[in-house]
Amino acid sequence: MHATYAPFARPLYVMLKPIGAVCNLRCAYCYYLEKKGLYPDVNRFTMSDELLEQFVKEYFESQTSPAVNFTWHGGETLMRNLSFYEKALHYQRIYGRGRQVENSIQTNGVLLDDRWCRFFKENNFLVGISIDGPQHCHDKYRRDVNKGPTFYKVMKGVELLKKHEVDFNVMGVVNDYNVDYPLEFYRFFKSIGAQFIQFSPIVERIDGKPAPWNVPAGKWGDFLIAIFDEWVRNDVGTYYVQYFDSTLANWVGEKPGVCTLSKYCGHAGVMEFNGDVYSCDHFVYPAYKLGNIRQQSLTEMMYSEKQQQFGLDKYEKLPQQCKNCDVLFACHGECPKNRIISTKDGEPGLNYLCEGYYKFYTHVAPYMDYMKKELLNKRPPANIMEYLNQ
Ligand code: SF4
Ligand code: SF4
């Protein structure tokens, strides 16, 4: 046993896939569409009402915190009818017994209409929209089934969310193309009213080789640095960029808001449409299946030794280069799914983006030190803007 490790100090968290990997788009880099291949004999990838009810009941039972967060993820979540989510809310009312409930849903935005937006507003959903930047960036890879562009359809959805005053955040996948437009990308997000901003670097393998749309490691660092330099002078405390907030959290020794920058992971599983539970959304492979909710409880699966080890491996399987690295406390080797290269000494398990992360963390160090000092003195980190603009 690992006595020093408390992987589930955070609430246990299981993301739901109500329609499996089914999606109305065909983004070139999507890592999830192929998951349909895990279930070759299945025609309908829809979660049954009975399974939904069981999940909601067990999820409440497994949660120790007063507020319980449900995260709906795809495939494309809006390909389930609205009545499915109405049923989910119905079960939440029955089994939540007055507990505070939060619902977050991730969508590509194309199917948003007034009806969906009214529903999200009335029921306090937080909507995550996937947009890869301004039109020329977004349409590079985010295409529909006929290979048509999707930017204007997504923007129509964003306008509807704004019209109905639905809370939303944006998630941009950074690839080999849009990585060259960091400020255009960031300013575009700000211009559409997004206050909470996430960037996710694309790192995939095809037949064992890096995919052509992967973000080059050095450029990923330059991308983060360009946006950071603008943010730290103008936007601290107004716009929340997940990477920067989580980096500051690591700098002051708090838990970062994103698993990839934590020392350990393993507290965030995923349940597929048929009740199969996996270690993580990025590890939906047979080897990482924890079981099925029809046979085992969520608590049993998420607290199993297998899942605990999965979380521990994030640190334990780091190569020596990371363990000796002076920015390990901030980087933590990032996500294990991206650890696909070898160190100069030939040790496997180095992160594909290492070069970029090292550049980024060494660049932001003096700024992070300043914001840390402000926080420790109970002053807002946003004071850094005044200092830099003197
Ligand atoms: S494998 Fe990566 S995405 Fe999954 S929980 Fe760990 S750090 Fe997060
Ligand atoms: S910067 Fe590179 S060597 Fe350092 S912890 Fe991150 S991945 Fe490892």
Side-chain angles (χ1 to χ4, degrees):
M1 284 303 291
H2 305 267
T4 55
Y5 173 45
F8 299 114
R10 287 159 181 271
L12 174 158
Y13 170 83
V14 181
M15 178 190 280
L16 269 185
K17 302 268 182 186
I19 190 142
V22 176
C23 188
N24 52 340
L25 300 190
R26 292 294 179 273
C27 305
Y29 54 64
C30 181
Y31 67 93
Y32 217 81
L33 279 175
E34 66 175 32
K35 301 299 175 195
K36 276 189 272 184
L38 288 172
Y39 304 104
D41 302 327
V42 175
N43 295 321
R44 281 170 56 83
F45 293 82
T46 47
M47 185 175 290
S48 68
D49 289 356
E50 171 224 345
L51 211 52
L52 173 66
E53 180 172 6
Q54 189 181 347
F55 176 86
V56 172
K57 180 171 177 290
E58 284 196 25
Y59 198 50
F60 278 114
E61 287 166 0
S62 69
Q63 299 288 307
T64 48
S65 58
V68 179
N69 182 281
F70 287 78
T71 302
W72 309 92
H73 215 269
E76 171 47 34
T77 49
L78 304 195
M79 290 183 78
R80 284 307 305 258
N81 288 337
L82 207 150
S83 61
F84 173 82
Y85 296 99
E86 282 169 339
K87 267 180 214 136
L89 294 181
H90 171 68
Y91 296 137
Q92 289 175 351
R93 280 189 291 272
I94 295 177
Y95 298 108
R97 298 193 177 89
R99 286 168 84 176
Q100 189 189 329
V101 176
E102 293 157 2
N103 282 286
S104 320
I105 190 161
Q106 188 68 30
T107 173
N108 59 40
V110 168
L111 297 175
L112 282 169
D113 59 15
D114 282 308
R115 217 165 59 102
W116 276 112
C117 291
R118 261 194 302 274
F119 172 78
F120 291 145
K121 178 67 185 169
E122 280 163 13
N123 296 292
N124 242 339
F125 273 58
L126 171 64
V127 177
I129 289 260
S130 303
I131 314 177
D132 287 359
Q135 187 262 330
H136 69 103
C137 290
H138 178 93
D139 284 339
K140 174 82 179 162
Y141 292 121
R142 295 193 71 85
R143 297 264 160 178
D144 65 20
V145 286
N146 299 316
K147 298 191 166 45
T150 59
F151 178 76
Y152 290 108
K153 292 178 189 156
V154 179
M155 286 311 297
K156 195 169 145 249
V158 171
E159 288 311 317
L160 285 170
L161 289 172
K162 283 166 47 176
K163 175 179 140 193
H164 289 273
E165 298 178 341
V166 176
D167 285 339
F168 72 97
N169 57 33
V170 287
M171 211 277 285
V173 172
V174 184
N175 53 56
D176 65 314
Y177 177 77
N178 60 12
V179 71
D180 288 330
Y181 302 92
L183 292 182
E184 202 185 323
F185 202 152
Y186 179 52
R187 289 172 189 165
F188 165 74
F189 274 171
K190 290 199 287 183
S191 76
I192 64 171
Q195 247 191 314
F196 294 88
I197 296 170
Q198 292 178 47
F199 295 109
S200 178
I202 190 89
V203 177
E204 295 293 333
R205 271 181 299 189
I206 301 175
D207 300 329
K209 295 200 188 96
W213 41 76
N214 282 359
V215 57
K219 285 191 178 189
W220 170 235
D222 296 337
F223 178 91
L224 289 175
I225 288 169
I227 295 175
F228 180 85
D229 283 350
E230 175 147 316
W231 175 82
V232 80
R233 282 174 178 79
N234 305 291
D235 299 331
V236 184
T238 310
Y239 292 95
Y240 299 89
V241 181
Q242 192 187 44
Y243 262 103
F244 306 158
D245 289 336
S246 293
T247 299
L248 183 57
N250 273 334
W251 230 263
V252 296
E254 293 290 329
K255 281 201 162 58
V258 56
C259 57
T260 53
L261 302 190
S262 304
K263 183 171 183 182
Y264 301 111
C265 64
H267 59 277
V270 55
M271 188 174 103
E272 264 290 355
F273 69 100
N274 64 350
D276 284 350
V277 175
Y278 294 86
S279 291
C280 162
D281 187 37
H282 289 286
F283 282 85
V284 175
Y285 300 106
Y288 295 93
K289 183 173 154 184
L290 299 171
N292 186 289
I293 197 175
R294 293 183 199 277
Q295 280 102 40
Q296 276 175 286
S297 72
L298 277 181
T299 315
E300 271 176 302
M301 289 185 273
M302 290 301 293
Y303 285 80
S304 63
E305 235 172 78
K306 181 173 177 175
Q307 180 66 353
Q308 300 239 8
Q309 192 57 52
F310 175 81
L312 286 165
D313 283 350
K314 187 173 190 299
Y315 175 74
E316 291 181 353
K317 292 204 168 158
L318 282 173
Q320 207 51 44
Q321 181 176 327
C322 289
K323 290 194 172 156
N324 297 338
C325 177
D326 53 358
V327 299
L328 176 65
F329 73 96
C331 175
H332 292 299
E334 206 242 20
C335 178
K337 94 168 172 68
N338 294 341
R339 296 179 189 172
I340 58 173
I341 59 172
S342 295
T343 66
K344 284 193 202 82
D345 302 332
E347 190 182 357
L350 183 66
N351 195 301
Y352 182 81
L353 301 170
C354 170
E355 180 193 341
Y357 280 122
Y358 195 79
K359 245 194 216 183
F360 171 68
Y361 291 119
T362 46
H363 176 84
V364 302
Y367 304 94
M368 289 292 162
D369 287 343
Y370 187 95
M371 288 191 278
K372 176 180 175 179
K373 181 169 64 70
E374 293 303 287
L375 274 173
L376 294 181
N377 285 300
K378 303 201 181 331
R379 293 191 295 259
N383 283 352
I384 194 169
M385 293 187 293
E386 203 184 315
Y387 173 71
L388 291 173
N389 291 321
Q390 269 169 14

